[in-house]
């Protein structure tokens, strides 16, 4: 695991040599006045990534003219965080489809909500994360009302911060996420910090350099919200099928009864010596799919 920088300032190189001593290696590129400044560690684990990340933070906060070209510590953090975002996106889509099923199947009195949810929560696999954010956490009505009221505010007189804050607070914002059952109750971090999740996800997926503190912050948040989505899925599942469950059990029982009856009839037929179907298949020549009823399961 290593950090690499380009540097053309001999004074900076000498300062870095003096400060980090044996931890740093400097290689002059052939035919140029530019050197590669490298910090390298044999280990490839979180402690090593933390150590190198600390050096990188120190370098960037120092008065050095260096250009970062390789940061294995940040790459390590990105690889560790990627599965958390992958889980989040998959579980989020599952939550949305279950929420849609509940609103559509529960005989909801609010038919307009059912229609809105049914229309919007559709083919989620084709939406990128930015479009999912727009779908769930932005309100078209809010933007429309804000634009209209803001134009009035501008035309009346010069405005101040207090007027602008009041204008915004007076406009209701009803996002699709807030309309879904249990979201604010069961998933408060997802509700309040989805914008941050979107920004962090962009950093990880596009391999932006992040330090150890940011890595820890993202890891903690994503662990929380993934737990929230898991709880939402558990909350939705029993709600989804309370009325259907009895009918499903009845169907299984009926299906079993039919199957058992067919097997009994089959056993009686193949065990009856008086039946003859053809020259090649008569009673006693049991087909490959035949089995005694006692062995049927």
């Amino acid at each position: 695991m290593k950090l690499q920088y380009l540097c053309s300032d001999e004074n900076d190189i000498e300062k870095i040599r003096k400060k980090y001593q044996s931890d740093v290696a400097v290689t002059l590129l052939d035919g140029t006045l530019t050197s590669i400044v490298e910090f390298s560690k044999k280990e490839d684990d979180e402690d090593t990534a933390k150590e190198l990340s600390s050096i990188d933070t120190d370098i960037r906060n120092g008065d050095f003219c260096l250009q970062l070209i390789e940061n294995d510590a940040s790459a390590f953090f990105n690889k560790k965080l990627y599965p958390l975002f992958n889980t989040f996106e998959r579980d989020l889509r599952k939550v949305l489809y279950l929420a849609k099923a509940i609103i559509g199947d529960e005989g909801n009195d609010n038919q307009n909500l059912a229609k809105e949810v049914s229309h919007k929560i559709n083919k989620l696999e084709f939406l990128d994360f930015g479009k999912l954010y727009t779908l769930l956490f932005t309100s078209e009505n809010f933007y429309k009302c804000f634009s209209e009221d803001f134009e009035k505010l501008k035309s009346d007189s010069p405005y101040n911060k207090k007027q602008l804050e009041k204008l915004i607070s007076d406009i209701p914002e009803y996002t699709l996420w807030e309309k879904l059952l249990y979201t604010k109750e069961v998933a408060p971090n997802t509700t309040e910090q989805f914008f941050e999740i979107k920004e962090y996800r962009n950093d990880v997926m596009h391999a932006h350099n992040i330090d150890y503190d940011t890595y820890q912050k993202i890891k903690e948040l994503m662990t929380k919200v993934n737990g929230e989505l898991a709880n939402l899925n558990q909350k939705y599942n029993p709600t989804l099928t309370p009325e259907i469950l009895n009918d499903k059990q009845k169907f299984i029982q009926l299906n079993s009864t039919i199957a058992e009856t067919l097997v009994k009839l089959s056993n009686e037929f193949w065990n009856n010596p008086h039946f003859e179907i053809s020259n090649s298949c008569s009673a006693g020549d049991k087909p490959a799919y035949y089995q005694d009823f006692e062995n049927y399961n």
Side-chain angles (χ1 to χ4, degrees):
M1 190 177 290
K2 59 190 174 183
L3 298 172
Q4 283 188 340
Y5 305 87
L6 292 178
C7 184
S8 301
D9 191 314
E10 286 295 328
N11 291 327
D12 282 348
I13 291 176
E14 287 305 313
K15 290 178 185 177
I16 291 172
R17 282 186 192 273
K18 184 176 181 180
K19 183 172 184 177
Y20 295 101
Q21 298 180 12
S22 61
D23 289 333
V24 63
V26 179
T27 304
L28 181 65
L29 294 176
D30 292 339
T32 72
L33 297 177
T34 301
S35 298
I36 294 179
V37 177
E38 178 178 295
F39 299 84
S40 180
K41 302 288 182 181
K42 293 181 180 180
E43 296 79 13
D44 185 18
D45 52 34
E46 187 168 314
D47 288 338
T48 305
K50 180 182 178 181
E51 185 179 350
L52 287 178
S53 179
S54 178
I55 293 174
D56 179 60
T57 300
D58 191 40
I59 291 288
R60 285 186 287 106
N61 290 338
D63 188 21
F64 300 117
C65 185
L66 300 178
Q67 173 62 60
L68 177 68
I69 58 174
E70 186 169 353
N71 187 340
D72 287 348
S74 181
F76 179 90
F77 299 147
N78 282 323
K79 290 175 184 177
K80 286 291 185 180
L81 292 171
Y82 174 82
L84 295 176
F85 285 97
N86 186 274
T87 297
F88 179 82
E89 291 191 40
R90 291 179 180 276
D91 283 356
L92 177 63
R93 288 177 171 86
K94 181 178 178 180
V95 161
L96 296 178
Y97 279 131
L98 287 176
K100 174 181 176 179
I102 291 171
I103 293 174
D105 291 345
E106 68 176 0
N108 199 309
D109 294 333
N110 192 340
Q111 294 300 316
N112 290 332
L113 175 60
K115 289 180 180 178
E116 178 187 1
V117 171
S118 179
H119 172 70
K120 290 185 175 181
I121 299 179
N122 189 39
K123 296 182 179 179
L124 301 177
E125 297 79 9
F126 297 97
L127 299 182
D128 60 31
F129 202 73
K131 290 180 179 177
L132 273 176
Y133 170 78
T134 301
L135 171 69
L136 296 175
F137 289 93
T138 61
S139 168
E140 294 178 7
N141 185 66
F142 174 83
Y143 285 119
K144 180 181 177 182
C145 292
F146 173 77
S147 299
E148 293 173 354
D149 292 350
F150 184 56
E151 288 300 320
K152 292 178 184 178
L153 181 65
K154 288 196 300 182
S155 62
D156 290 341
S157 65
Y159 58 89
N160 56 34
K161 181 179 178 180
K162 187 174 181 180
Q163 287 176 291
L164 190 57
E165 288 176 345
K166 185 178 186 306
L167 183 151
I168 293 173
S169 63
D170 287 346
I171 302 173
E173 183 181 28
Y174 302 112
T175 65
L176 181 61
W177 180 257
E178 291 179 330
K179 295 176 183 177
L180 304 179
L181 291 173
Y182 311 126
T183 51
K184 294 182 73 174
E185 168 194 345
V186 178
N189 290 287
T190 306
T191 303
E192 296 298 326
Q193 295 187 263
F194 201 94
F195 179 78
E196 287 79 4
I197 294 170
K198 181 174 78 75
E199 294 300 298
Y200 288 148
R201 188 259 186 201
N202 184 62
D203 288 338
V204 171
M205 296 303 177
H206 293 282
H208 294 167
N209 287 318
I210 57 176
D211 59 22
Y212 179 76
D213 289 341
T214 303
Y215 161 70
Q216 287 290 88
K217 187 184 299 183
I218 297 174
K219 182 180 177 181
E220 181 180 355
L221 174 60
M222 295 311 300
T223 300
K224 285 181 181 177
V225 297
N226 283 347
E228 290 179 349
L229 293 187
N231 290 337
L232 265 181
N233 279 320
Q234 291 178 355
K235 190 83 171 175
Y236 284 158
N237 274 321
T239 310
L240 181 62
T241 55
E243 298 176 358
I244 299 174
L245 187 58
N246 289 335
D247 292 337
K248 184 178 179 182
Q249 290 173 338
K250 291 176 183 177
F251 174 78
I252 292 173
Q253 291 170 357
L254 176 63
N255 231 20
S256 299
T257 302
I258 294 173
E260 289 173 4
T261 302
L262 289 174
V263 172
K264 285 181 180 179
L265 290 174
S266 176
N267 287 345
E268 291 175 3
F269 173 80
W270 291 107
N271 288 323
N272 192 327
H274 301 293
F275 286 111
E276 185 171 307
I277 298 176
S278 68
N279 291 334
S280 61
C281 183
S282 60
D285 295 330
K286 299 176 183 177
Y289 57 79
Y290 171 85
Q291 58 179 331
D292 292 334
F293 177 67
E294 291 75 13
N295 295 329
Y296 174 75
N297 50 48

